[in-house]
Amino acid sequence: MTRFEDDEAPLLGRVIPNPGILKMKKIRLWIAVIIIVTIVGALFLITSTKIHNQSRAYMIGQYRVKDTKVEDRPMYSEGGFNDFVGINETDPHGPKLIDVKHVSKSKTEGKSSDDDFLLFEATVDILDNKMHYREASNGWVPKLNIILFHGEHFTSAIWNDIGTLEDLASAGYRVVALELPGHGLSSLDPKLRPAEFIKLFIQHLDLYRPGVVLLSADSSNAATMEYMIRYSKHSPLLKGYINIDSANNQYTDMQRITAQTINAQVLFLCGGKDTECLTSSHDWARHVTSSRVHSFSNAYKEFYNEDPVVFNTILKRFLEYLSKSNDS
C-alpha cells in the first residue's frame, strides 16, 4: 500500500479539469459576450434612427410612417391631407384648395404604387394678394422642397405639362409650382418686391424644412436671384438654386457685385446654341462660389419644353446630389 505524505493528502478526491474543456468554456463565454454586445448595439441603432426620423418629421410638421402602402400615407387619410399640406379651413389667409387628384403610377388597375402622388391646386393670401400654385407630393417626408417659377409666356401649368411635377414628386420631393404676381390666377401688387413675395410665400407654406431649392426660368430669374442674394447667406436651409435661360439684361449691377454672398449650390442651364445665355451663365459662375453651367446641345431657349425627358433627368441628378449632401 502506498503511503502519502501530509502535504499530498489534500489532492485526494479532487477532479483536475481538462485544459481543453477550460479553453472551450472561455471561447463560449466570449462568443456570448460578443452576441450580447451586438444585440444591444443593434437595438441602440434602431432606436436612434427611429428617434431621428420622428424628430425630423416633427420639425417640418409632417408625419413619418413605416407602411409603404399609399392608403396609409398621412396625406391620403381622412383629415390627413389638410394637415400634410398646411391647409387650415379656419385661417382666412391660409391656403384654399381648388382641385386635388390622386395620380396612380401602378400598372395594375385599381392597385396603388409607391410612386403614386397627389397633385393639387390651391391659392394662398399673402398681404391681401391671392397667389395661385400647383403642388405635388408622394405623401412621405420629402427629401427637399422644390419651388418652380415659370417664364414670361407661361403659367405654373408648364411644369405639369412637361412632367416635372410628376417626376420630382415620384422621386420623393415636395414640388410647388408658383404663379408669379400678375400671371395666371395670381393677383398683381406692384408695391410688393419680388424677393419679399418669395420669402413670404415660403414662410406661409412652411417650405424651409428639410431644405428648399429654387428653380426659375427666363423672366423670373431676376426675382429669384435677388432672393438668393439677400437671404441665402443667412439661411442654411436654402440648399440650391437652378437658373434657366439666364440673360445679361435680367440683372442689375448690384446683383452681380453681391452674387458671391450666395451660400448654396447653383446650377445654370442653357441651350447649347443660346450664346447669350451661355455667356451670361459663365459670367455668373465666376461670381458665385459653388456653381456650375450645363448646356443642352442643339437647343436654344425654352429647351425644357422641347425635350422635357432629358431636362427632368438632369434636374433629378442635381437634386439627388443636394439631398445626399443634406442628409450627411
Side-chain angles (χ1 to χ4, degrees), residues 11-12 25 31 43 54 56 61 100 130 187 200 203 231 265 291 310:
L11 295 176
L12 293 176
K25 286 184 176 180
I31 291 175
L43 291 173
Q54 288 176 341
R56 184 183 179 200
V100 60
K130 184 177 72 172
S187 57
L200 292 172
Q203 291 175 340
Y231 298 111
Q265 295 288 332
S291 63
V310 174

Side-chain angles (χ1 to χ4, degrees), residues 136-194:
S137 173
N138 68 358
W140 302 126
V141 173
K143 298 176 182 178
L144 291 167
N145 298 319
I146 319 299
I147 308 177
L148 310 176
F149 298 83
H150 57 82
E152 178 66 29
H153 305 294
F154 300 101
T155 66
S156 62
I158 181 63
W159 306 117
N160 186 41
D161 295 341
I162 66 174
T164 304
L165 285 169
E166 175 180 333
D167 281 5
L168 298 188
S170 296
Y173 301 98
R174 181 184 178 187
V175 196
V176 180
L178 173 64
E179 283 181 352
L180 294 171
H183 290 78
L185 299 179
S186 294
S187 57
L188 174 63
D189 183 357
K191 296 177 291 184
L192 191 63
R193 290 183 62 85

